[in-house]
């Protein structure tokens, strides 16, 4: 029963993640919102709520305790600005420049980047399984961004660049905070990282000066969905599911995120998605599956 609960938590959380990108695309295209405003609001509200959840939990002393450790304090600031803000901002700009489906799929190249990084750090060649994943990812990416036409891209160059940067950011978030996660609760780390990232973005961009946004009951509901369901609840469900599932099982089930993003983009927003783009998407998802199944 607990395993089925874990399965449901990952699938629901992944679906919320995938839908949040599609909802964000609608806010950018139809409601005049900017990535800077949405990212800042999303991280600030979700970060504060995560910290409040941590305060009522068993490890409430960690919320302030993490700042008393000099090494953890420095790493947390780096993680918040470069990691959390980096991946959130690049992902949303990739959506604005292209669409949620391709942005999410390109971001899912991050496990491959982690494998390449680990092979480089350990001075070893990728294994046969990892080499297969590399080839599958390259073929998938080419098909996704060209739709089978080698003369031009099916999405803008900017969308491809920002999507790949998002994959780099997610890979960084996978590798860098490992030391923090060994010492502190994930809810505390992610909560503070989101708050730090949102403050850094606010200082640089002043999102409260953004103009041209259309506020209505619909746009408010969409913003609430992105912040609460697509960020806070999705993260909490995924983390809590690890009480019932292994990390490999959770990673495989989280493939629901790009699938939902593609389906929602095509069905709801009427984003064109060609045959070769579909094959490319399958290749990228196959890459994640190959790497997840090989994880110790």
């Amino acid at each position: 029963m607990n395993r089925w609960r874990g399965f449901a938590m990952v699938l629901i959380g992944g679906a919320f993640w995938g839908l949040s990108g599609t909802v964000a695309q609608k806010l950018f295209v139809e409601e005049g919102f900017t990535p800077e405003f949405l990212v800042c609001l999303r991280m600030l509200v979700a970060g504060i709520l995560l910290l409040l959840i941590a305060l009522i939990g068993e490890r409430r002393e960690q919320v302030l305790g993490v700042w008393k450790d000099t090494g953890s304090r420095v790493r947390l600031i780096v993680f918040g600005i470069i990691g959390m803000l980096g991946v959130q901002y690049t992902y949303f700009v990739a959506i604005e420049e292209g669409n949620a489906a391709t942005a999410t799929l390109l971001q899912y190249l991050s496990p491959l980047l982690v494998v390449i990084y680990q092979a480089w750090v350990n001075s070893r060649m990728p294994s046969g399984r990892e080499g297969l994943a590399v080839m599958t990812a390259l073929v998938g990416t080419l098909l996704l961004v060209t739709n089978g036409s080698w003369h031009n891209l099916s999405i803008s160059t900017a969308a491809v660049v920002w999507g790949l940067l998002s994959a780099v950011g997610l890979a960084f978030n996978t590798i860098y905070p490992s030391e923090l996660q060994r010492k502190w609760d994930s809810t505390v780390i992610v909560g503070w990282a989101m708050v730090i990232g949102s403050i850094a973005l606010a200082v640089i961009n002043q999102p409260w000066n953004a103009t041209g946004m259309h506020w209505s009951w619909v746009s408010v509901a969409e913003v609430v969905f992105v912040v609460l369901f697509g960020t806070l609840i999705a993260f909490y469900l995924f983390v809590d599911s690890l009480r019932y599932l292994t990390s490999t099982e959770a990673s495989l089930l989280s493939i629901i995120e790009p699938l939902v993003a593609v389906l929602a983009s095509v069905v709801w927003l009427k984003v064109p998605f060609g045959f070769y783009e579909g094959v490319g998407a399958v290749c990228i998802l196959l890459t994640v599956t190959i790497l997840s199944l090989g994880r110790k």
Side-chain angles (χ1 to χ4, degrees), residues 3-4 8-9 18 29 35 56 67 116 122 133 155 187 248 257 266 268 281 283 287:
R3 285 178 59 76
W4 284 109
M9 292 169 76
V29 174
I56 62 176
W67 291 103
I116 294 173
N122 296 320
I155 57 176
T187 305
T248 298
E257 177 188 352
V266 173
W268 183 33
C283 288
T287 299

Side-chain angles (χ1 to χ4, degrees), residues 182-249:
R182 282 193 292 268
K183 297 178 65 175
W184 310 98
D185 186 74
S186 293
T187 305
V188 174
I189 296 302
V190 174
W192 276 122
M194 285 186 174
V195 171
I196 293 168
S198 65
I199 293 173
L201 181 59
V203 170
I204 296 171
N205 190 262
Q206 293 87 46
W208 51 82
N209 291 328
T211 58
M213 295 181 293
H214 177 242
W215 289 99
S216 65
W217 288 111
V218 173
S219 62
V220 168
E222 290 168 346
V223 170
V224 169
F225 180 87
V226 171
V227 173
L228 294 184
F229 290 88
T231 308
L232 175 68
I233 295 176
F235 167 78
Y236 193 81
L237 286 174
F238 184 84
V239 171
D240 203 42
S241 72
L242 297 177
R243 292 193 297 161
Y244 314 112
L245 305 175
T246 66
S247 58
T248 298
E249 291 171 327

